[in-house]
Amino acid sequence: MYDTLVWISGATEGLGLGFSRTVPYENARIINLSRRQHPDLETVIFDLTRPETYAAVEDSFKKELSEFSGKRAIFIHNAYYPGKIGYVSEVDQEEYTRCVQANAAAPLILGDMFLRAVKPGYESGLVLLSSAAARHPFLGNANYCAAKAGVEMWVRVVKRELADRGRDTWVVAVRPGFVETPTTRFAAAQNDRDYPVASQIAKQLETRENVMSPEEAGQEIWAALPPKNNESLLLFGTMVEKQ
């Protein structure tokens, strides 16, 4: 019988996979939330760009937590839809809409679903992945910057709402630092005309300066959970500065 239940969105690759491989609890059940079946983990299939699929995630939260009697339940929302990077009004409009849905709306909706499902009697925590983009206006990635800024503000407000209602679920946003993932490599491969910071990302990947593997980042972030000083934002590593 497991005493820890962990959901990780996007655990099939990148940082999500790093999180799944470094869960610090021996007796943990890990559930991947993804468009693809994980080769080793049980998986709930859903798609960030398709809101009608979110019900599968909500059903998993409700089903597993309805009679949960373990020590802790944690949801790490890590999944991200890269879409097409480019300047607003220049990228394909349908693709732009998918990016906004997946990266700005989905974290808030899925986070709300988890908070509705958890109950008193065990530790419960919600982690939403953010980015330095929440603070820095990276040209060519306006929707991503806005999405991450929105995630961080949502966490700040929700922490206060939970405290006001006397609930002890912890909620935190995390800027993981520079982690080499398929998403990072995708960003590095973009044209500087559409994403001026692309060549800087590519150079940092090449030099390996301050670059973490998904497992290194996952281990470091897990070690900081739950937030020790009631922070709403945890910062790790360094970042490529804006031009």
Side-chain angles (χ1 to χ4, degrees):
M1 185 66 181
Y2 56 89
D3 58 23
T4 298
L5 186 54
V6 180
W7 285 271
I8 304 172
S9 64
T12 53
E13 65 180 19
L15 184 52
L17 183 58
F19 278 125
S20 73
R21 288 175 171 172
T22 56
V23 172
Y25 309 109
E26 289 186 6
N27 193 17
R29 177 184 172 194
I30 305 170
I31 301 175
N32 169 50
L33 309 173
S34 176
R35 289 184 297 171
R36 291 177 288 156
Q37 177 69 44
H38 193 286
D40 303 312
L41 300 176
E42 56 183 299
T43 298
V44 174
I45 301 295
F46 92 111
D47 188 332
L48 285 173
T49 68
R50 296 173 56 206
E52 68 273 16
T53 68
Y54 297 2
V57 177
E58 183 175 30
D59 289 345
S60 179
F61 291 153
K62 288 180 177 179
K63 176 185 174 185
E64 303 303 337
L65 292 171
S66 61
E67 297 182 0
F68 182 64
S69 58
K71 293 181 179 179
R72 65 186 63 82
I74 298 172
F75 171 35
I76 299 180
H77 180 57
N78 155 84
Y80 160 67
Y81 179 70
K84 174 152 179 61
I85 293 175
Y87 283 35
V88 168
S89 79
E90 294 181 8
V91 297
D92 176 79
Q93 189 173 30
E94 290 186 3
E95 183 68 358
Y96 181 81
T97 300
R98 282 192 285 269
C99 286
V100 172
Q101 173 62 47
N103 302 323
L108 281 54
I109 295 168
L110 298 172
D112 174 72
M113 289 175 174
F114 177 76
L115 294 176
R116 290 176 186 271
V118 293
K119 294 178 171 59
Y122 50 84
E123 175 193 344
S124 54
L126 171 63
V127 180
L128 298 184
L129 266 291
S130 185
S131 162
R135 180 169 177 263
H136 292 267
F138 293 119
L139 277 63
N141 224 350
N143 76 82
Y144 181 69
C145 293
K148 294 308 184 184
V151 159
E152 292 187 7
M153 180 54 74
W154 187 87
V155 167
R156 290 174 64 189
V157 174
V158 169
K159 278 180 65 69
R160 288 162 174 77
E161 291 180 347
L162 293 172
D164 192 56
R165 293 293 193 238
R167 297 179 59 181
D168 58 4
T169 298
W170 53 265
V171 182
V172 69
V174 172
R175 296 184 195 171
F178 197 107
V179 185
E180 183 175 9
T181 66
T183 297
T184 312
R185 293 191 292 270
F186 172 79
Q190 301 307 300
N191 189 307
D192 272 1
R193 181 180 182 277
D194 296 322
Y195 193 37
V197 78
S199 59
Q200 291 179 257
I201 295 173
K203 182 178 180 181
Q204 189 162 353
L205 285 172
E206 182 181 351
T207 61
R208 311 302 301 171
E209 182 179 359
N210 298 313
V211 177
M212 292 180 289
S213 70
E215 287 77 15
E216 289 171 333
Q219 206 165 35
E220 194 169 60
I221 293 167
W222 273 119
L225 299 176
K228 307 301 185 293
N229 299 307
N230 201 34
E231 303 100 329
S232 62
L233 176 64
L234 298 178
L235 304 174
F236 298 90
T238 61
M239 57 158 287
V240 175
E241 290 292 341
K242 69 183 180 69
Q243 292 184 328

